[in-house]
Every structure is written in structure tokens, then in C-alpha cells.
Amino acid sequence: MRTVVIGGTGHIGTYLVPELVQRGHEVVVLSRGERTPYQSSGGWNQVRMVQVDRDAEDAAGTFGKRVADLQPDVVIDLICFTEDSARQLAEAVHGKVQHLLHCGTIWVHGPSATVPTREDAPRRPFGDYGIAKAAIEKYLLDRARRDGLPATVIHPGHISGPGWTPVNPAGNLDVGVFEMLARGHELLLPNLGLETVQHVHAADVAGVFLAALANRSVAVGESFHAVADGAMTLRGYAEGVAAWFGHEAQLAFLPWDEWGQTVSKQDSAITRDHITHSPHCSMEKAARLLGFRPRYSALEAALAGVSWLVENGKIAT
């Protein structure tokens, strides 16, 4: 089976591509060629790498044809961010592939209402990213149900793992937050620290894609979450990280308007985005239809990234 993975050298592809090779797929990876996978694996030696600038080819209207010309049985799209881009690819491969899998985001839900949030919850996205991803999901699943496009959408949470910085217990990407917890210093959190984040190990996200491939008959026309079982409150996350470093978390709290003045504008904006969403998504559907259960808890997924940061000298303990 020939499988084309678009954007296959990033977080998810690092784990997904070697697994596809191991399962006998002939894998072609399309990427800009600007990075290598986060972890090396012998399986990559069997992968055909194709360098491509998707944005430029989407603008020229040639990207979908480029993918179709590879004559894939399966297309896994990890880097599609606009409905127009999704439409170009879908129209080019419809009737030519067995399965088209798209990487979405739990941001399609917008703010959490009833939790754990199921895949069939009403969509209330906000922000350019969430709104665009919700539009892509709607387009692909409408085509699947009306026209037989063999599409499946996978919605990851906060992807974590060795090689990059996970969302921290303050809801942003400042590694200094981890350093404060590592040293037993007091950490300020917004409000009461009860908003939630929901990490997932990149290996588990890859696992949902693989499970959807293995259960095509029930996966086509459906969306699935790819998160750890259960979300973490900011304070619970901080306590878990501090304990991993051998300390009891020293936490203090400020109302949002005051807390936002203690960090950079960029960190404040990222935190606001995360805590306004406060995700807590269900994995029941993936378990029931795909037989998939995450290997890593949310804290374990985050700590996999923290451990890598420590080992590589990016967190001063």
C-alpha cells in the first residue's frame, strides 16, 4: 500500500512514518525539507522524501495534482490549514485513494461546555486557527457523507514529546516556568489555576491515525479526538511537574488582569488562548470504534517533553 504523508517530518510524523514502514506501507513524505524527524529510526531509510512548498503550489493550484500523480492508496495530511487547501487536495484524490486522513485540532470545539467533550458536540470555534480547522472538518465530512470521499479527521490536543517544548503549567511556552518548578520557587498562576490543558504524546496521536487506517470501514466520515484520557488543571499540572523535580509546588494566584502584567504580551496571549478553551475532550469514541486507548497520561506526555529539555540543557535545574 502506497501512503503519502504530507508534512511527515514533524511531531506526529516522527512516530507515524516509521510505524507505517514497519507495517509494510510504501511511504512517500512530502515536506519543505527544512527539518529532520525529532527521533531517528532505521525505517526512514525506506522512505521516499519529496521536497515541496505547499503554500506556493496551493497558490498555483498544482499541489493536489502533485499528490494524485504519486498514485497513493492512502493520503495522510498533517499540515492543511485552510478550507481551500483541503478542497484542492480532496478534489484531486477523490475516486483515486482508499483513505484520506486529515489532522485537525480540538480547537474546533471552542470553549469547553459539557465535559468531557465528545466529537459530536456543537462547534463554537474562535480565533483564525480554530475557525479554519472547523471549516475544513465540515467540508471533508460533508463530502464523505454526500459524495463518498473516504475522509477521516483526527483532532489532537496539545502535542507533546521529546524534542520540543510542551505547553507549560501557566498555559504558554516559556521554559522558565519549568525552571521555577525545578528549583522549588514560587510560581504565579492566573485566577485560581483551575482552567485546563489536555496534552497528548505524539506517539499516541500517531496511534489514532494508525487505528483509523486499520478500521477504515468505521473511520470514514468520522472525526476522532487524539488526547490523553483526562485533562489537567493548571495547578494540578504544576504540582505534577514540581513533584517530578522532587519538590512540593509553591503556587500563588492573581486575577487575570493582574497576572497578565507579570508576563510578556506574547506569553499572556498564548495563555489566554489556552485557558479560554480549557479543553477536556473524550476518548470514548476512539476506544469504542477504533479500539484505541492512549498509552500516556496527560502528565506523562508533558513530562516526556520536560525530560528531553532537561537532558539537552534547555532547562536549568
Side-chain angles (χ1 to χ4, degrees), residues 80-81 102-105 108 128-138:
C80 179
F81 303 108
H102 169 84
C103 184
T105 172
V108 298
D128 292 343
Y129 180 61
I131 290 170
K133 282 292 195 178
I136 293 169
E137 176 192 41
K138 183 178 187 301

Side-chain angles (χ1 to χ4, degrees), residues 118-119 218 224 283-293:
R118 304 190 327 176
E119 286 87 343
V218 294
F224 297 90
M283 284 298 289
E284 183 275 334
K285 183 177 178 181
R288 173 169 48 86
L289 295 185
L290 306 180
F292 179 85
R293 290 174 175 79

Side-chain angles (χ1 to χ4, degrees), residues 53-117:
D53 184 335
R54 181 177 190 166
D55 290 341
E57 294 209 9
D58 271 345
T62 59
F63 183 74
K65 183 177 184 303
R66 174 189 280 270
V67 175
D69 285 348
L70 293 169
Q71 298 183 316
D73 300 296
V74 173
V75 175
I76 301 176
D77 191 353
L78 301 178
I79 55 166
C80 179
F81 303 108
T82 69
E83 184 179 349
D84 180 66
S85 182
R87 181 180 292 107
Q88 286 192 43
L89 179 62
E91 290 178 351
V93 303
H94 190 197
K96 301 176 182 178
V97 298
Q98 298 176 26
H99 207 169
L100 170 62
L101 297 98
H102 169 84
C103 184
T105 172
I106 58 173
W107 257 217
V108 298
H109 291 294
S112 294
T114 301
V115 295
T117 304

